[in-house]
Amino acid sequence: MAVELKETIDKRREEIMDACEKLYETLGFQSINIKVISTETSFSRPSIYNYFQTKEEIFLGLLTREYMKWNDALKNITDKDSVMDRDALAGAIAKSMEERKTLLKISAMNLYEIEENSRDELLVEYKRIFKRTIELFDECLKKHLKVSEQKREQIRYAFFPYMYGIYPYAYPTEKQISAMDDVKLSHRDVTVYEMTCQFLKLVL
């Protein structure tokens, strides 16, 4: 019974996070609240509070899920039988990041507020998954490029802060583009893959 109950809870949490992710594709963080999320689910607003206390906790759950998916991709890179060179590894990591648009958006735009307004135990769980991401990233560098521990640390401290800034460059708003055009600030279309791959080739 306990297992069935946990499976039911997990399924309901997933539905709520799915709804939040769908809304986040078209609405800003400030426009999304528990009431709005409830309209995209089979749950009433009071029912959602049985699973998440704040909308920030829903976003934190969504971010945690995103990192778990990225961890699977990083583990696949680490587990490859053939050893990659610098360019191949940069491309593989960039491809794994290209599939994590929601992760990049939350990290760039709302992470601080989400962490501040979530319960400690949920934040600890997120940090545990994030720690695993760092470990897998480190394992990729160690296996494929034989990078020293000191160098791996330098690369991590360069890459992860850079990662948080990718989304605004890859997905500028029309308003931002218009403002840049008004002041004749040069800009070009760039993808998550291109930005990630180019940067990794520089630091690896």
Side-chain angles (χ1 to χ4, degrees):
M1 177 66 77
V3 173
E4 292 177 355
L5 179 59
K6 182 181 184 308
E7 289 177 353
T8 300
I9 291 172
D10 289 345
K11 184 177 179 180
R12 290 174 178 173
R13 285 172 59 90
E14 288 290 323
E15 181 182 343
I16 293 166
M17 289 188 291
D18 287 344
C20 183
E21 183 171 25
K22 180 181 177 182
L23 289 164
Y24 197 48
E25 291 175 0
T26 56
L27 296 178
F29 181 77
Q30 298 303 328
S31 299
I32 299 173
N33 55 42
I34 300 291
K35 181 178 180 180
V36 173
I37 293 171
S38 71
T39 65
E40 296 289 331
T41 71
S42 60
F43 305 106
S44 65
R45 180 172 59 176
S47 295
I48 289 178
Y49 286 113
N50 292 324
Y51 307 99
F52 300 96
Q53 290 186 0
T54 63
K55 77 168 184 182
E56 287 84 3
E57 290 188 356
I58 300 174
F59 274 94
L60 187 64
L62 179 54
L63 184 61
T64 302
R65 185 173 73 178
E66 281 287 293
Y67 270 103
M68 291 173 70
K69 291 178 180 178
W70 191 27
N71 287 352
D72 289 340
L74 290 174
K75 190 172 189 311
N76 286 336
I77 295 171
T78 302
D79 290 345
K80 283 187 178 295
D81 292 332
S82 57
V83 175
M84 299 180 183
D85 62 16
R86 183 199 65 169
D87 289 355
L89 181 59
I93 294 175
K95 187 177 186 307
S96 74
M97 177 129 291
E98 186 177 39
E99 298 166 356
R100 304 271 68 83
K101 180 180 177 182
T102 300
L103 182 157
L104 294 173
K105 184 177 182 180
I106 294 174
S107 299
M109 303 176 72
N110 310 113
L111 181 59
Y112 186 85
E113 188 172 355
I114 288 167
E115 291 191 354
E116 282 297 300
N117 292 285
S118 296
R119 282 171 287 172
D120 290 349
E121 59 267 29
L122 299 180
L123 184 56
V124 168
E125 178 60 23
Y126 159 65
K127 294 296 185 182
R128 183 178 294 112
I129 300 301
F130 178 71
K131 178 186 176 185
R132 183 57 182 152
T133 304
I134 292 175
E135 292 169 347
L136 288 165
F137 184 85
D138 194 77
E139 289 172 18
C140 287
L141 302 181
K142 184 178 180 181
K143 174 178 178 177
H144 293 289
L145 301 183
K146 311 299 182 188
V147 178
S148 69
E149 183 176 351
Q150 182 180 7
K151 181 65 173 176
R152 294 198 304 270
E153 183 179 45
Q154 291 172 345
I155 293 170
R156 287 198 311 272
Y157 274 93
F159 177 73
F160 281 91
Y162 175 85
M163 181 186 83
Y164 295 150
I166 289 176
Y167 183 86
Y169 279 90
Y171 300 99
T173 66
E174 291 299 322
K175 185 175 183 179
Q176 290 169 327
I177 293 171
S178 177
M180 288 188 284
D181 289 341
D182 285 347
V183 300
K184 296 181 172 53
L185 176 62
S186 64
H187 58 88
R188 66 182 182 88
D189 292 337
V190 63
T191 66
V192 170
Y193 178 87
E194 290 170 336
M195 289 191 67
T196 306
C197 196
Q198 289 171 6
F199 182 79
L200 285 172
K201 286 180 180 180
L202 286 174
V203 299
L204 292 180

